Amino acid sequence: MKTIRVVAAVICDSVKEKRKIFATARGYGEFKGQWEFPGGKIEEGETPEQALKREIEEELDTKIEVYDLIDTIEYDYPNFHLSMDCFWCETITGKLVLKEAEAAEWLRKDELDSVQWLPADLTLIEKIRRSMSAL
């Protein structure tokens, strides 16, 4: 089975307090309308952190700071294996413009179950929930 290596940004309002996280709904493809953490494929010669900064600038017109690795998710979809490095991030500059996603939300800890997550992203939700502060 083909493996696809990607990175995902768990963008939060504050890396210290983590009161809200940013999620996007896919605007295309088989999983259109399902929710995920923004990011994308790692290109040859890039570190995961470099790939994440590039992808967020391309997808959301925003510069981010990449912090700690939350987890590497290994997930088997029907046609490929996904290996996804997920990092805590904060925005530096930019307005989070949706160039590829069809919708976006800032979700509080008690709202994490209010959207339909992609299967691989869903495996990360409990770990994120444990790290977030209540408002």
Side-chain angles (χ1 to χ4, degrees):
M1 185 180 298
K2 180 176 154 186
T3 294
I4 299 177
R5 291 256 311 125
V6 299
V7 285
V10 181
I11 300 170
C12 46
D13 56 341
S14 158
V15 166
K16 286 184 180 167
E17 296 174 8
K18 298 178 183 81
R19 291 178 305 261
K20 291 190 263 180
I21 59 162
F22 188 74
T24 58
R26 282 181 82 88
Y28 59 90
E30 180 183 352
F31 298 104
K32 183 178 183 335
Q34 291 187 26
W35 291 75
E36 66 183 346
F37 297 106
K41 291 182 183 169
I42 301 170
E43 293 182 358
E44 195 169 327
E46 283 183 319
T47 66
E49 294 85 351
Q50 289 168 332
L52 198 49
K53 289 179 181 185
R54 176 187 50 75
E55 284 285 348
I56 298 304
E57 194 157 356
E58 289 173 3
E59 289 182 21
L60 298 169
D61 202 23
T62 301
K63 290 191 185 301
I64 58 167
E65 185 67 42
V66 178
Y67 292 93
D68 295 339
L69 177 71
I70 301 167
D71 203 354
T72 299
I73 302 299
E74 301 290 340
Y75 190 87
D76 287 327
Y77 282 97
N79 300 323
F80 63 93
H81 176 79
L82 185 75
S83 180
M84 179 171 64
D85 292 338
C86 306
F87 292 88
W88 289 113
C89 300
E90 276 180 357
T91 60
I92 299 171
T93 60
K95 298 255 194 253
L96 294 167
V97 176
L98 300 183
K99 294 184 172 182
E100 294 183 16
E102 68 178 28
E105 294 282 338
W106 282 98
L107 301 172
R108 295 186 315 265
K109 184 176 185 173
D110 63 345
E111 296 172 320
L112 292 175
D113 297 325
S114 68
V115 299
Q116 183 184 355
W117 294 100
L118 283 167
D121 293 72
L122 183 60
T123 66
L124 191 63
I125 295 301
E126 277 312 308
K127 190 170 271 197
I128 289 170
R129 188 186 321 270
R130 288 192 300 269
S131 297
M132 290 179 74
S133 303
L135 282 180

